[in-house]
């Protein structure tokens, strides 16, 4: 039984670069807070809070690296930034990538759909190959 796993590519690189940048910038700002000529007094707790804030923001940005879709002959698991869903192929009408959409989606009964954030338009050829593979699994299961 073939299992395929797809994760976004470009957004993962960008998110990691932004996360590292946030930590570096907030750490530098936190360390430099103690020496201001403005007369404002920053304590060590303020400096630590600034560094911790950088890590928290970086963690928020890294949530964008979470999306993943795993599919096999039985069904498909879609993990987006916050939510996760499992669908049997019999419950999926089609795998689509509408014009102008940022990511692919699974068409469900009663005009519902679930976004597949792991397959993003910015990944171009990788996104096309991912949708084709998902469609083949869907076709084989039906």
């Amino acid at each position: 039984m073939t299992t395929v796993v797809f994760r976004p590519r470009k957004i993962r690189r960008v998110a990691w670069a932004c996360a590292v940048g946030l930590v570096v910038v907030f750490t530098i700002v936190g360390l430099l807070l103690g020496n201001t000529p403005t007369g404002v007094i920053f304590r060590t707790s303020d400096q630590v809070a600034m560094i911790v804030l950088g890590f928290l923001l970086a963690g928020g940005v890294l949530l964008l690296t979470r999306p993943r879709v795993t599919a096999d002959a039985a069904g498909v698991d879609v993990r987006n930034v916050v939510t996760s869903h499992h669908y049997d192929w019999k419950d999926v009408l089609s795998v689509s990538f509408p014009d102008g959409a940022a990511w692919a989606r699974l068409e469900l009964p009663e005009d519902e759909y679930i976004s597949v954030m792991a397959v993003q338009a910015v990944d171009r050829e990788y996104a096309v190959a991912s949708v084709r593979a998902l469609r083949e699994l869907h076709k084989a299961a039906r």
Side-chain angles (χ1 to χ4, degrees):
M1 178 167 27
T2 304
T3 300
V4 294
V5 178
F6 300 109
R7 298 188 73 176
R9 289 187 172 175
K10 284 188 180 181
I11 193 69
R12 290 174 68 203
R13 289 191 298 262
V14 171
W16 274 103
C18 288
V20 169
L22 282 167
V23 169
V24 168
V25 167
F26 275 77
T27 300
I28 290 171
V29 169
L31 294 175
L32 296 178
L33 272 181
N35 300 325
T36 60
T38 62
V40 178
I41 300 171
F42 290 103
R43 294 194 161 74
T44 305
S45 62
D46 298 319
Q47 293 173 302
V48 170
M50 187 63 82
I51 295 169
V52 169
L53 182 61
F55 278 97
L56 289 174
L57 289 172
V61 169
L62 288 177
L63 282 175
L64 297 174
T65 66
R66 191 171 185 271
R68 180 180 73 200
V69 61
T70 306
D72 58 20
V76 59
D77 292 309
V78 178
R79 184 176 74 188
N80 288 329
V81 173
V82 179
T83 61
S84 295
H85 301 279
H86 172 79
Y87 296 99
D88 292 329
W89 283 121
K90 65 179 174 57
D91 298 328
V92 177
L93 299 177
S94 66
V95 178
S96 67
F97 209 129
D99 287 339
W103 41 73
R105 64 190 198 182
L106 300 178
E107 303 291 339
L108 305 172
E110 299 182 16
D111 293 329
E112 292 185 27
Y113 66 87
I114 181 86
S115 297
V116 182
M117 297 178 77
V119 182
Q120 300 185 357
V122 296
D123 288 331
R124 301 185 187 272
E125 293 83 20
Y126 178 71
V128 171
S130 301
V131 169
R132 285 183 179 154
L134 290 172
R135 285 179 178 163
E136 286 298 318
L137 282 170
H138 180 249
K139 182 179 171 183
R142 299 201 96 186

